[in-house]
Amino acid sequence: METIPEDIRYRLLEQHGGFALAYSVAFQPELSHFGDERGFLSYCKVGNTAFVLADPIADRARHEELIDAFVAAHPDAVFCQASLNTAEILSRRSFWVNQFGCENIIDLDTYSFDGPKRRSFRTASNRFSAGGYQVREMSLSDLDPADVRAISDRWRRTKVTKRRELHFLVRPVVLADEPGVRKFFLLNRDGEPEGFAFFDPVFEKGRIKGYLSTTRRWLPTTDPLASYFMVRTAIETFQSEGVATLNLGLSPFHHIEDKVFQRNRLARRAFRFMYRNSLTNRFVYPVRNLAKHKASYGGVESQTFYAFNTLSSIPRLLKLIRACRIIT
């Protein structure tokens, strides 16, 4: 596995990690790194196909150079959840470029919990506060690791992908303190944890400009409005600090139109099928419910892209599902 020292990755992240998955690109376990002390991208291989996560972490002037060098070293390349800038670079190199789904981004400067569309936040706050609950930002060292692990394991057993943690497009949960990552815990009236919400930092020129909501989990016996209660507390905390944005992450295959680049028709049909089909939503991954839930928070949608240079497209889509460990 190719790697770049952690301190160099963090320094580059602070200067050039201005996109949602930048922290995951820098620190997700089991990813290889391609580049040097001036910048890098991260990827994993499934068979002969190299899957690149999002964008390079480097000065934008070096992106084309890095991408060209990577594709020369890994001719069968797929870029997943890439930005418009990366998609434009790849399109000029004759990649097929399909829309991949939207990230939902909240402007914290103007965000309010008033009005009918934010009723769930207010209901959650009232209900949990009346029950003696609170949300606190804490260090993992202040809690019993077994309690936090139990929350995570019991939550995952209620999901379609109950047998394993997801990887690649989703950074696996880390039940330990991490540099720059904000961790909030739902505590019951006895001070025992019943849920948690983690947020990865998004940087701009050495300063934090926002956070990505990466993980929200709670006990199956806890009211599911716990998510709104934890996120509201985090938003209010970030607003008090002058943080600009909160990214709620990807809604895969949501609002795909494919009107900008040369798209692959088969990939487009596959994405739309996975979004619309009831069986894939029930037994593979609930993409429709995920998009509906994120839309309930409000915010602005920003489209991401999926680009590849080798046919056929369907085997590469199956490999992507393996890379994410939805199937093994």
Side-chain angles (χ1 to χ4, degrees):
M1 179 185 294
E2 302 168 59
T3 190
I4 294 171
E6 187 173 311
D7 59 333
I8 293 176
R9 279 181 277 149
Y10 199 87
R11 174 177 57 79
L12 290 167
L13 173 70
E14 288 182 314
Q15 293 302 315
H16 309 296
F19 55 96
L21 292 183
Y23 197 94
S24 190
V25 170
F27 294 114
Q28 184 177 154
E30 301 182 31
L31 292 186
S32 298
H33 309 118
F34 183 92
D36 53 33
E37 69 280 356
R38 298 173 298 160
F40 66 98
L41 49 75
S42 294
Y43 69 100
C44 70
K45 293 197 74 172
V46 180
N48 292 324
T49 305
F51 289 89
V52 180
L53 182 60
D55 296 344
I57 296 183
D59 187 281
R60 182 167 289 194
R62 292 203 65 235
H63 283 198
E64 294 198 45
E65 173 191 343
L66 260 174
I67 289 171
D68 286 342
F70 181 83
V71 174
H74 303 278
D76 182 357
V78 181
F79 288 72
C80 304
Q81 203 173 330
S83 68
L84 177 61
N85 180 68
T86 296
E88 289 172 340
I89 293 171
L90 296 168
S91 179
R92 292 195 295 268
R93 284 147 179 82
S94 299
F95 275 66
W96 290 275
V97 180
N98 287 69
Q99 292 184 334
F100 194 56
C102 296
E103 295 174 354
N104 192 292
I105 304 169
I106 293 173
D107 180 352
L108 295 180
D109 185 53
T110 60
Y111 198 75
S112 169
F113 296 102
D114 297 332
K117 293 183 178 180
R118 307 289 178 267
R119 184 179 293 113
S120 295
F121 286 104
R122 299 194 299 275
T123 301
S125 295
N126 293 335
R127 187 177 298 173
F128 279 94
S129 296
Y133 285 80
Q134 60 176 313
V135 176
R136 290 176 55 194
E137 184 173 8
M138 302 175 68
S139 167
L140 269 293
S141 60
D142 295 329
L143 298 165
D144 185 337
D147 290 341
V148 181
R149 174 63 64 183
I151 294 168
S152 183
D153 290 345
R154 290 178 63 186
W155 177 91
R156 197 177 68 245
R157 285 198 292 268
T158 68
K159 303 303 174 183
V160 174
T161 53
K162 64 183 69 177
R163 291 179 294 176
R164 63 189 70 86
E165 290 284 350
L166 298 181
H167 283 65
F168 194 59
L169 293 174
V170 177
R171 189 166 79 89
V173 64
V174 176
L175 301 180
D177 295 326
E178 302 174 277
V181 179
R182 309 287 290 271
K183 304 198 173 186
F184 294 78
F185 293 87
L186 175 68
L187 306 177
N188 63 25
R189 65 169 66 250
D190 297 320
E192 300 166 338
E194 290 193 16
F196 56 79
F198 298 167
F199 301 85
D200 287 355
V202 179
F203 289 93
E204 184 174 64
K205 297 179 180 179
R207 301 182 64 181
I208 290 176
K209 72 171 184 179
Y211 288 93
L212 167 68
S213 177
T214 56
T215 303
R216 280 170 276 167
R217 299 185 178 186
W218 54 90
L219 292 174
T221 52
T222 301
D223 190 319
L225 285 178
S227 176
Y228 289 101
F229 189 41
M230 290 188 289
V231 172
R232 176 171 184 169
T233 302
I235 286 176
E236 291 175 336
T237 300
F238 299 153
Q239 287 176 324
S240 71
E241 298 169 352
V243 174
T245 61
L246 175 65
N247 192 312
L248 297 172
L250 180 69
S251 295
F253 320 134
H254 184 55
H255 282 172
I256 288 176
E257 295 180 349
D258 286 324
K259 295 181 178 179
V260 180
F261 301 108
Q262 179 185 356
R263 66 184 184 271
N264 179 272
R265 293 181 182 274
L266 195 56
R268 181 172 184 254
R269 289 176 182 173
F271 290 167
R272 289 192 167 191
F273 175 83
M274 292 179 70
Y275 188 83
R276 295 171 177 172
N277 184 266
S278 297
L279 292 178
T280 58
N281 274 267
R282 182 177 179 183
F283 295 111
V284 180
Y285 198 76
V287 290
R288 271 207 316 260
N289 284 342
L290 184 65
K292 182 179 179 180
H293 175 72
K294 290 180 180 179
S296 72
Y297 286 80
V300 176
E301 292 180 343
S302 177
Q303 187 61 245
T304 66
F305 299 88
Y306 173 90
F308 61 102
N309 62 351
T310 306
L311 293 176
S312 105
S313 59
I314 295 303
R316 277 146 193 83
L317 293 176
L318 294 174
K319 287 181 180 181
L320 174 60
I321 295 173
R322 287 184 58 196
C324 296
R325 298 189 184 174
I326 295 173
I327 60 173
T328 56

